[in-house]
Amino acid sequence: MEFPDLGRHCSEKTCKQLDFLPLKCDACKQDFCKDHFTCTAHKCPFAFKKDVQVPVCPLCNNPIPVKKGEIPDVVVGEHIDRDCKYHPGKKEKIFTYRCSKEGCRKKEMLQVACDQCHGNFCIQHRHPLDHSCTRGSCPITVAG
């Protein structure tokens, strides 16, 4: 053999294959072949160090930090009881600005205010001629 120190043997007890490109396990720091480098394939005793999962609240979809030794289900339950921002009965209204034109019941997402009478109007009645604006310096007519 010309290169006796080249490569490493797989650390798996049942394998011991000589591998010229061995892979090192992040958790236990041992060398393995391509078939046994995953933690599940070689039954790594330190796999719990790499198996860190952050639970997510099912209501508000926020990650919930869990300290070592705490049960994730209990921590998520406490979050839902105390800190969760999700309220199923309360919905935010998007269309909150109601048109001031008499007889119009439309609502808009953004406030559209008249420069002269300072009333709030829908897109259809936003111009002074459309909502019969009479306030200001003088009444506005079609002729100007």
Side-chain angles (χ1 to χ4, degrees):
M1 217 169 137
E2 292 183 29
F3 303 105
D5 296 330
L6 190 64
R8 299 229 182 241
H9 287 280
C10 180
S11 297
E12 176 64 32
K13 294 173 188 166
T14 59
C15 182
K16 299 293 183 192
Q17 176 184 349
L18 180 63
D19 197 335
F20 294 108
L21 293 171
L23 299 163
K24 188 172 286 225
C25 176
D26 291 339
C28 65
K29 308 293 186 215
Q30 293 183 359
D31 296 315
F32 294 96
C33 66
K34 64 177 178 71
D35 297 326
H36 298 110
F37 80 94
T38 61
C39 289
T40 54
H42 69 268
K43 298 179 183 92
C44 185
F46 300 104
F48 67 92
K49 290 181 180 179
K50 294 292 173 183
D51 188 23
V52 178
Q53 296 178 355
V54 178
V56 176
C57 176
L59 301 176
C60 65
N61 290 327
N62 288 335
I64 291 109
V66 178
K67 295 176 185 167
K68 252 187 183 173
E70 289 182 329
I71 301 168
D73 291 340
V74 174
V75 176
V76 171
E78 289 174 356
H79 163 78
I80 290 171
D81 293 340
R82 294 185 192 145
D83 305 325
C84 191
K85 303 281 189 252
Y86 179 77
H87 302 289
K90 183 182 178 185
K91 290 184 180 179
E92 289 186 32
K93 292 183 180 180
I94 296 173
F95 297 94
T96 57
Y97 297 102
R98 189 170 182 173
C99 183
S100 299
K101 169 83 172 168
E102 198 172 313
C104 183
R105 302 192 72 190
K106 289 185 182 178
K107 294 180 182 179
E108 296 293 333
M109 288 174 54
L110 301 172
Q111 186 175 9
V112 182
C114 176
D115 292 336
Q116 295 173 359
C117 66
H118 304 291
N120 190 47
F121 297 97
C122 66
I123 298 294
Q124 189 175 6
H125 299 118
R126 70 184 182 271
H127 296 293
L129 290 173
D130 296 330
H131 64 263
S132 305
C133 186
T134 55
R135 294 194 183 146
S137 58
C138 60
I140 298 175
T141 61
V142 178

